[in-house]
Amino acid sequence: MFLSQVTSPHTVRHDHTRNIMRRVILAAIPGLLVSCWFFGLGPLFNVLLCSLFAAGFESLVLKLRQRPIGFYLKDYSVLVTGVLLGLALPPWSPWWLLLVATGFAVVFGKQLFGGLGQNPFNPAMLGYVVVLVSFPVDMTSWPAAHAVTFSGGLSHMFAGTPWLDGWSQATVLDSLKNNQGLTLDELWDGYTGFGWLSSRDSELVNLAFLLGGLWLLHKKVYTWHAPAGMLGALFVMSLIFWGGNGSESNGSPLFHLFSGATMLGAFFIITDPVSSATSTRGRLLFGIGVGILVYIIRSWGGYPDAIAFSVLLMNLCAPTLDYFTRPRTYGHDKAKRGFNTEGQ
Amino acid sequence: MSTHWTLHKFHGGIHPLENKQQSTTMPIQQAALPGLLVVPLLQHIGQPAEPCVSEGEHVYKGQLIASPAGLGAAIHAPSSGVVERIGAAPYPHASGQPYNAIEIRTDGKDQWHPDIRPANPDELDDEQLLQRIRAAGISGMGGAGFPTATKLRSGQQASIDTLIINGTECEPYITADDMLMRERAADILSGAAILQRLLDARQVVIAIEDNKPQAIAAMQAALGTRPWHVVSIPTLYPSGGERQLIKVLTGKEVPSGGLPAHIGIVCQNVGTAAAVHDAVYLGRPLISRITTLTGAALKQPMNVECLVGTPVIELLQQAGLDQTRMNRVIVGGPMMGFSLADLNAPVIKTGNCLIASTEQEMPAPEPALPCIRCGECELACPAGLLPQQLLFYAQGDDHEQLQANNLFDCIECGACSYVCSSKIPLVQYYRSAKADIREQQQKQIKAEHARQRFEFRQERLRLEEERKAAERQARAERMAKAKAAKEKADAAKPAPVAGSDPSADQLKKLKIEASMARVALTKAEKQLAQHDTPELHAQVAQLKATAEAAQQALAAAEPDATAAAPAAEKPAKAARPALSEAAKKAKIELAMARAALKKAERAEASEDELAPLREAMLKAEQTLADAETGTPE
């Protein structure tokens, strides 16, 4: 008779890290579909290539580190990195750009720190920033909605053929940044494809990511703290520094919430638990920090969008946030906070 | 009385599958009398009890067989029979190690000890009541097993406002308290009344999770006119934990490291209250308990009333154990219980549940993935800790940070492990880290004791040395005084006694100087042999000269002394035969007086005592001098 000796608890919830990762990928599908509606199969090709590269790099490093490849690939975490990178990079990006971004994300952003759970920075955002600062031309040439043909996209992606005239367009964030004395109404009247709040593609893609994020919240993949912190801070900042609709305007709060990668960032990027602060209170502050930084860089910095930089900067602050956001333990009058480990 | 009761919330908590319905389909069954009872000497928190029977002795049911030593509880024979063996036996413990037990071969008569008699608590004073509870060997029946009499005693010393009777039973699978409340509500309440009386508690609250409507109804019905509160609380693990329950019922928190009594609250399990009833009213010690037998490997899960000491295997077989399907046996609940290594281990006073599970029901743990800090554990932790951070520090053996993150406030409820999506055995990390820290603290305490002992010893030696030095000095001063007094007396005498030879003194001094010079010289020479430096050469040469000078001085002094000594002796020798009888007598008297004085001085006698002795000696000297002068040559 065999009696297994197992430490308590003997019953566990039937959930698994791989399910969490799978849910994140599932929740990104609406955003991907809407994106494909506007940009053809470009976003899908991005996602597929990035996922392929990511799995390849992960396997390579796992092999070098003599770790079981199948076991770690099955946690799907590297696929999340690949999918998010594919969604964040411009549709129909050249294949080598995807390769470099994914390589930096997986090898330098994740595996060199020890793999899953050990990375101080969000791997996808690290890869994104590396190609953003290295290849600014490719990174700022977003295709215009409904413009690129399938063959044109493929040849841009794999043969390096440059975009034809009219195939690419400045994003709304670019336009606002480079606004030369036009009122907002004049500016958006001159922007083809402007919708209700932002460009039609931006606002709908953001809406799709928002819906995916709400589903993840409903599934309790994460708590509301980080997304609410970021969106709230971005809203408040853009309300304070809005400046009306005149030529000095920084854009309305709703414009900021539905432009660029706001919703992707709020529900898919800053919710990466590994590189974020760890307590709920810390995550709220983490989100607020990202929201403020996004607005500062968008309005007064050198880049039109700023999710990646803001996330990386807040990743740096996460360990310190952890020291200062410990919850109050049962039976203690107040929480022990700060670097001091002596009893307080 | 069922009044509205304001409930509060504790942080976190989880909703594991309850699995309670399987074992509540039939009333409490009586377990069969086993042939051999294995009664371990440690069934409670504290020190093991000491056996007070010997092998081969016949015992009655309820007879004291081991008495408490220190913090502990008495242990009684669960049935009548013969003590077969006292020694290591299978023991229900997470370690799987055997423990000392008294094995009783039952005789089947189940004969009560004749001294066991009922009593009416109204005729007993508080001290007698407490004595009856202590003598019954009752310890907490909820799982921890703290000796009840000790808890009540410390409760009496505090000022208790609220007595909580804990019928929460929040762990999945366990239904022992549920069934006890359904069937013996009146006994629980009369036991609780005794507890209230002993603690002088203002109010009594009976807390039951709302997944036990029948138990709530039974307790309500049994309440009668008592102005107590039966409170139904939301089902949420671990609301039955003492600290969590206190928070739910009162909104107060037990201070970290403190006891509920510190905030005027005492918690007692419903099983404990029933045991108190049995002990006080019937005089029966705690020798049996209700145990849940459940799990998918049992054909008929149920609750049994079984004797303490009944081997687990016999109970499981009574419930239809299918050994081929069983993969583990858990003592206690699935959240905090431990897996049993030997099915011959007995049920003890704290054993509220046995789960014989199948592989499908409780599969082997999956391999753990790295922590992704998802924070689910933080949301589940009922102590308000950051389990993910504790894991991080436990893996790094960072004891300082573990304590800064309040590791010792962890109640090991297992909620964090339960929710962990990376399948990390978090509680095991904390248990191990706690053990490490405790061990290190023990070591530190030991080292501190050793240091203190050493310092005390040094201090004692120093004081002793000082005391001796002071004594020596005092003695020397007294000697000098006495000498001075003697010299004064001598000076008054015409013939001074030949004092200590000055030349001998000088000789001694010279000898010492010479030997010191020699020692210094050899030391320096040794050093020179090791380090050949010109300074050392010069030093050695100088020392050599000094030593030679000292030697010479000594040599010069010695012949004088040797020459002087015989010369001084001769006249005395010559005078000796000429001594008269009177002089002889005087001399003897003088010697005796001197000896007496010296003895007194050595014994550090006071001046008052010494004075007459000194006088006597002077008188003797005078007599001798008279006798000598008066003696013709």
Side-chain angles (χ1 to χ4, degrees), chain B residues 379-390:
Chain B
L379 299 179
C381 181
L385 298 167
L386 288 176
Q388 69 274 48
Q389 295 290 81
L390 289 173

Side-chain angles (χ1 to χ4, degrees), chain B residues 241-468:
Chain B
E242 192 172 64
R243 282 156 198 262
Q244 280 64 38
L245 183 58
I246 287 171
K247 175 85 178 185
V248 168
L249 290 176
T250 67
K252 290 193 228 173
E253 291 186 4
V254 182
S256 173
L259 291 173
H262 295 159
I263 53 169
I265 296 171
V266 166
C267 272
Q268 291 287 1
N269 174 264
V270 286
T272 314
V276 166
H277 166 270
D278 290 353
V280 172
Y281 282 90
L282 310 176
R284 290 185 180 172
L286 177 54
I287 52 168
S288 69
R289 66 156 301 135
I290 315 290
T291 298
T292 305
L293 308 174
T294 185
L298 297 184
K299 286 196 187 71
Q300 181 50 66
M302 60 168 100
N303 277 281
V304 290
E305 174 155 27
C306 66
L307 296 178
V308 164
T310 309
V312 165
I313 183 74
E314 295 193 23
L315 291 174
L316 294 180
Q317 276 163 352
Q318 192 176 341
L321 174 67
D322 181 354
Q323 290 212 3
T324 55
R325 293 179 64 215
M326 171 179 68
N327 74 331
R328 67 179 109 161
V329 171
I330 298 159
V331 178
M335 294 304 298
M336 292 183 76
F338 56 89
S339 50
L340 195 61
D342 186 345
L343 292 187
N344 293 312
V347 168
I348 60 173
K349 291 174 186 176
T350 53
N352 50 5
C353 184
L354 297 171
I355 306 173
S357 67
T358 60
E359 184 62 33
Q360 192 193 3
E361 189 179 22
M362 291 184 191
E366 285 182 65
L369 277 172
C371 171
I372 56 165
R373 295 154 69 82
C374 67
E376 279 296 311
C377 48
E378 178 197 348
L379 299 179
C381 181
L385 298 167
L386 288 176
Q388 69 274 48
Q389 295 290 81
L390 289 173
L391 169 74
F392 181 68
Y393 295 125
Q395 284 175 330
D397 278 334
D398 190 341
H399 292 178
E400 209 180 343
Q401 280 292 353
L402 283 169
Q403 279 166 293
N405 281 276
N406 301 326
L407 172 67
F408 282 92
D409 287 297
C410 167
I411 58 168
E412 299 176 21
C413 68
C416 50
S417 305
Y418 176 82
V419 298
C420 182
S421 57
S422 284
K423 312 294 165 196
I424 302 168
L426 291 158
V427 185
Q428 189 51 32
Y429 276 101
Y430 310 147
R431 274 195 279 255
S432 160
K434 280 183 190 174
D436 281 353
I437 292 175
R438 285 205 190 98
E439 195 185 321
Q440 207 174 47
Q441 281 171 342
Q442 285 302 318
K443 271 187 194 157
Q444 257 167 12
I445 291 169
K446 252 186 181 169
E448 181 63 21
H449 280 170
R451 192 183 63 78
Q452 279 179 357
R453 265 202 311 276
F454 177 74
E455 280 177 4
F456 280 140
R457 179 168 183 275
Q458 292 296 94
E459 181 67 7
R460 203 174 61 234
L461 291 179
R462 194 181 62 77
L463 287 176
E464 181 74 0
E465 199 46 51
E466 271 179 10
R467 192 182 62 76
K468 275 185 183 159

Side-chain angles (χ1 to χ4, degrees), chain A residues 1-18 20-21 71-72 75 115-118 220-223 225 272-281 283 318-319 322-323 325-332 336 339-342, chain B residues 243 247 252-256 323 326-330 333-341 343 362 365-374 376 378-379 383-386 388-389 393 400-401 403-406 409 414 417-419 421-423 428 431:
Chain A
M1 176 173 49
F2 173 73
L3 286 175
S4 62
Q5 298 295 297
V6 183
T7 170
S8 69
H10 302 272
T11 175
V12 292
R13 193 166 66 180
H14 294 289
D15 204 351
H16 201 279
T17 296
R18 76 173 77 93
I20 295 179
M21 300 293 174
F71 179 75
Y72 282 105
D75 66 34
L116 180 64
Q118 308 295 327
K220 295 189 174 159
V221 168
Y222 44 70
T223 59
H225 299 81
D272 165 36
V274 176
S275 56
S276 164
T278 195
S279 65
T280 47
R281 196 187 305 260
R283 285 185 177 163
D322 288 344
Y323 280 110
T325 53
R326 287 188 196 125
R328 183 186 67 85
T329 305
Y330 180 104
H332 291 256
K336 282 187 200 167
F339 298 119
N340 191 2
T341 55
E342 299 299 313
Chain B
R243 282 156 198 262
K247 175 85 178 185
K252 290 193 228 173
E253 291 186 4
V254 182
S256 173
Q323 290 212 3
M326 171 179 68
N327 74 331
R328 67 179 109 161
V329 171
I330 298 159
M335 294 304 298
M336 292 183 76
F338 56 89
S339 50
L340 195 61
L343 292 187
M362 291 184 191
E366 285 182 65
L369 277 172
C371 171
I372 56 165
R373 295 154 69 82
C374 67
E376 279 296 311
E378 178 197 348
L379 299 179
L385 298 167
L386 288 176
Q388 69 274 48
Q389 295 290 81
Y393 295 125
E400 209 180 343
Q401 280 292 353
Q403 279 166 293
N405 281 276
N406 301 326
D409 287 297
S417 305
Y418 176 82
V419 298
S421 57
S422 284
K423 312 294 165 196
Q428 189 51 32
R431 274 195 279 255

Side-chain angles (χ1 to χ4, degrees), chain B residues 429-561:
Chain B
Y429 276 101
Y430 310 147
R431 274 195 279 255
S432 160
K434 280 183 190 174
D436 281 353
I437 292 175
R438 285 205 190 98
E439 195 185 321
Q440 207 174 47
Q441 281 171 342
Q442 285 302 318
K443 271 187 194 157
Q444 257 167 12
I445 291 169
K446 252 186 181 169
E448 181 63 21
H449 280 170
R451 192 183 63 78
Q452 279 179 357
R453 265 202 311 276
F454 177 74
E455 280 177 4
F456 280 140
R457 179 168 183 275
Q458 292 296 94
E459 181 67 7
R460 203 174 61 234
L461 291 179
R462 194 181 62 77
L463 287 176
E464 181 74 0
E465 199 46 51
E466 271 179 10
R467 192 182 62 76
K468 275 185 183 159
E471 256 173 36
R472 268 198 300 276
Q473 201 183 347
R475 208 183 302 134
E477 269 168 22
R478 273 199 305 274
M479 293 274 274
K481 237 185 236 164
K483 206 168 169 187
K486 200 166 112 188
E487 262 163 21
K488 219 173 175 182
D490 284 352
K493 280 191 315 187
V497 178
S500 57
D501 194 342
S503 66
D505 269 0
Q506 210 177 353
L507 196 63
K508 215 186 227 167
K509 211 168 140 196
L510 283 171
K511 257 186 186 161
I512 291 170
E513 270 172 15
S515 75
M516 268 169 67
R518 267 203 307 277
V519 168
L521 178 61
T522 41
K523 218 175 174 182
E525 275 174 345
K526 253 186 209 159
Q527 259 185 339
L528 182 63
Q530 278 171 5
H531 320 280
D532 193 8
T533 64
E535 291 91 42
L536 278 176
H537 270 294
Q539 207 183 342
V540 169
Q542 199 191 335
L543 282 171
K544 218 175 234 169
T546 320
E548 268 162 22
Q551 200 64 38
Q552 268 168 15
L554 177 63
E558 253 168 352
D560 286 0

